[in-house]
Amino acid sequence: MSFEFIKKLPTPSEIKEQIPMPEKLVKLKEVRDREIRDVITGKSKKFLVIIGPCSADNEDAVCDYVTRLSRVNEKVKDKLILIPRIYTNKPRTTGEGYKGIAHQPDPEKKPDLLAGLITMRKMLIRAIEESGLTAADEMLYPENWRYVSDILSYVAIGARSVEDQHHRMTVSGFDVPAGMKNPTSGDLTVMLNSVYAAQHPHSFIYRGWEVQTGGNELAHTVLRGATNKHGQNLPNYHYEDLNLLLNLYNERDLKNPTTIIDANHSNSAKQYDQQVRIVKEVMHSRKLNPDIRDLVKGVMVESYIEEGNQKVGDGVYGKSITDACLGWEASERLIYDIAEY
């Protein structure tokens, strides 16, 4: 085999014992989780805004961003629930490039996964301590979930992972909402099948154990646009797309019909500045149709302190080293605009 076994990593329990979640934050998370759950189940009419950097590449800049977000949250909390994106793993289309802070705590140095696990956990806890906001992350690697299962309030399953059985079954054991994105092909049936799988119990092997899950009724869809065989981006956030998804939900026996609109990726063709226009169109569609309003319960926005992106090593504080992001001023303005709808 070409595997080189470098070192055995600590178990999630060992890492959690080394870097525990403070009791006051455990209680804060319980409150946040309940508020977010109530949106997904329809008990609350608040709107979710999952917003933050494409990848959390620098702890100081991420915590600075999230603290700014908390000040805005105080002004809109009667209408919105802001969930900071603190994405610690970055999927790469070709497998090359920066894979996130869980791989490389320092983007300019070689991967160090033990240091990455520690850095990831410390950063997520620090962000809550400084902002009072619990975060969202993408579950790129199902076996890593247990390292942060007591910290996160929302999890996204990416377009390339949503068809994978292990991802689906792992989500079925979550106690927090999980957004299942449509695959890059755009096939909505695949996405809905993933939600069905995640909402039902499963028995499987996980981290060396035979486990049984109870199903996650908070699993739901995320529309992120698609890419056709010619490499062209096909958005799926328009009124007609939302109506189609509503009809597909109505044909199926799924709990808590919900969709979140990802304003970047193939919906914007990665034109970060288009996210503002896209979110406003989605909010307008919700105004036009009460059924769509009930279905669309949030948006995802890629945003950081500085707009655009940079290469690793350029050293601009608060600027993405992966996909380009909306800058802080435009992001803050957009949040207030969403609250006005």
Side-chain angles (χ1 to χ4, degrees), residues 63-337:
C63 289
D64 179 355
Y65 176 91
V66 175
T67 301
R68 296 180 189 206
L69 205 61
S70 71
R71 291 194 289 267
V72 177
N73 187 68
E74 282 301 307
K75 299 176 183 178
V76 298
K77 63 183 180 181
D78 58 326
K79 295 181 179 179
L80 308 179
I81 298 177
L82 304 187
I83 306 174
R85 284 173 54 110
I86 303 183
Y87 278 31
T88 57
N89 298 282
K90 172 64 180 172
R92 309 305 312 205
T93 304
T94 64
E96 295 182 337
Y98 175 67
K99 295 184 177 69
I101 207 164
H103 265 78
Q104 292 168 266
D106 186 333
E108 297 185 59
K109 295 181 179 178
K110 291 182 178 179
D112 184 336
L113 275 77
L114 174 56
L117 291 174
I118 293 169
T119 301
M120 169 179 72
R121 190 166 170 86
K122 284 183 174 178
M123 176 176 63
L124 287 165
I125 292 174
R126 177 184 165 189
I128 304 172
E129 285 177 325
E130 295 183 3
S131 71
L133 301 178
T134 49
D137 197 354
E138 178 176 347
M139 188 183 73
L140 187 57
Y141 308 108
E143 61 272 22
N144 285 1
W145 160 245
R146 296 288 298 170
Y147 288 107
V148 291
S149 59
D150 58 331
I151 299 176
L152 299 175
S153 283
Y154 185 95
V155 178
I157 306 301
R160 296 165 189 81
S161 303
V162 75
E163 299 185 64
D164 176 62
Q165 183 159 304
H166 200 58
H167 281 81
R168 294 175 171 190
M169 292 190 300
T170 303
V171 170
S172 73
F174 285 10
D175 59 358
V176 295
M180 320 296 280
K181 293 194 174 186
N182 64 262
T184 52
S185 69
D187 190 330
L188 300 185
T189 300
V190 168
M191 174 180 66
L192 289 159
N193 286 344
S194 185
V195 172
Y196 183 92
Q199 288 191 353
H200 287 76
H202 296 283
S203 298
F204 58 103
I205 297 171
Y206 184 73
R207 297 192 60 86
W209 286 76
E210 178 183 346
V211 299
Q212 171 73 48
T213 60
N216 180 2
E217 65 179 16
L218 304 178
H220 58 274
T221 60
V222 177
L223 296 179
R224 49 85 73 199
T227 305
N228 68 13
K229 65 181 181 180
H230 303 293
Q232 298 166 321
N233 290 295
L234 304 174
N236 58 11
Y237 61 86
H238 296 306
Y239 182 91
E240 293 78 10
D241 300 301
L242 303 179
N243 207 46
L244 170 61
L245 180 58
L246 177 64
N247 291 334
L248 292 173
Y249 255 118
N250 289 337
E251 292 171 3
R252 289 163 170 78
D253 182 22
L254 293 171
K255 297 176 182 176
N256 303 314
T258 296
T259 197
I260 306 291
I261 309 304
D262 179 348
N264 212 10
H265 298 100
S266 291
N267 269 332
S268 69
K270 292 193 176 180
Q271 301 299 307
Y272 69 90
D273 55 339
Q274 295 300 305
Q275 293 182 100
V276 174
R277 176 187 59 78
I278 291 166
V279 168
K280 289 182 177 181
E281 181 179 326
V282 170
M283 300 307 291
H284 181 64
S285 294
R286 292 179 82 239
K287 268 190 169 182
L288 296 176
N289 186 329
D291 291 331
I292 286 178
R293 185 182 185 88
D294 289 342
L295 177 69
V296 179
K297 295 174 183 171
V299 291
M300 290 182 175
V301 177
E302 291 196 325
S303 153
Y304 212 174
I305 296 170
E306 300 295 335
E307 69 175 11
N309 60 352
Q310 63 182 328
K311 293 180 181 178
V312 173
D314 282 357
V316 179
Y317 177 80
K319 191 171 188 176
S320 176
I321 60 171
T322 48
D323 290 352
C325 295
L326 204 62
W328 173 252
E329 290 182 6
S331 301
E332 183 178 15
R333 201 159 50 241
L334 177 59
I335 293 169
Y336 293 138
D337 287 344

Side-chain angles (χ1 to χ4, degrees), residues 5-16:
F5 290 81
I6 298 168
K7 57 188 167 191
K8 188 170 177 60
L9 296 172
T11 65
S13 295
E14 289 168 340
I15 290 284
K16 286 175 177 177

